[in-house]
Amino acid sequence: MAIEASSSNMSNSKIIILIVNVLYLNLHMQAWFMDETSGEDQRLPRHCYPKELVSPDYLAELGVLYWRLNPENYENDAELKKIREDRGYNYMDLLDICPEKVADFKEKLKNFYTEHIHADEEIRYCLEGSAYFDVRDKDDRWIRIWIKAGDLIILPAGIYHRFTLDTGDYVKLMRLFVGEPVWTAHNRPQEDHPARKEYIKNLVTEKKVEILMQVKFNISYGFPLAPQSTASLLPYPPLIDKRGFKASGNKQTA
Ligand code: KMT
Ligand code: NI
């Protein structure tokens, strides 16, 4: 009897974990560290074994932001409208990517999958299908981000990244931009590019977190503020948000 009860409890808790997982995966884009030794097709997931999932918080630390929206309602979506207004995204176009609709498909995909940065944010809203954005983390490891219908993703200026379709071979994307779009890709290495330098400067490193925590501790316990040498690492001025990235520029078209 006791054994029966505990085994049924066990299966209940497994079911709850499963439900929580399903809800979590539905709420969040999935992201994971890639197996970089794998020579598999780039359209395959390329998980490490065992899988190493990446949290939304870690992506935010890299400056990668996302929203889950309703892709069916993109023409009248108040949430999308607000994001566009708040961030100044006054340019918009739509792009279908699949072998049938893109001229020089192979060449384009090859370029998209070549590691690069941009001088501005890269903003993509997936309306149909799915695809992968790969971004480099602080230790230069590849993180694979799986975008599906409803995922709006923002990659910060200066982050090394690349893009590929998955095995579904189709994605419909909305591209957003502040002002006249500039899609120029600067292939790696770009360590001297101003956007790259700015990105690196704003990255919240372990060291910065340590110093920030120390300063918080000092303030809480009435010790003097951090010495001058650490001032440049502090979030003031200019004010930076939790992710360590300043709000995006305010370029506007006339
Ligand atoms: C880019 O810069 O256009 C890319 O990284 C590919 C993303 S969507 C076509
Ligand atoms: Ni790009």
Side-chain angles (χ1 to χ4, degrees), residues 32-36 48 52 54 58 62 134-144 160 188:
W32 55 84
F33 284 108
M34 290 181 77
D35 174 4
E36 294 176 30
C48 293
E52 282 185 73
V54 171
Y58 188 59
L62 302 176
D134 299 338
V135 297
R136 290 279 191 188
D137 84 339
K138 296 171 197 174
D139 300 319
D140 221 24
R141 289 183 73 186
W142 278 120
I143 295 175
R144 177 149 274 197
Y160 281 124
R188 190 169 180 168

Side-chain angles (χ1 to χ4, degrees), residues 116 118 122 161:
H116 62 273
H118 301 282
E122 180 162 325
H161 67 279

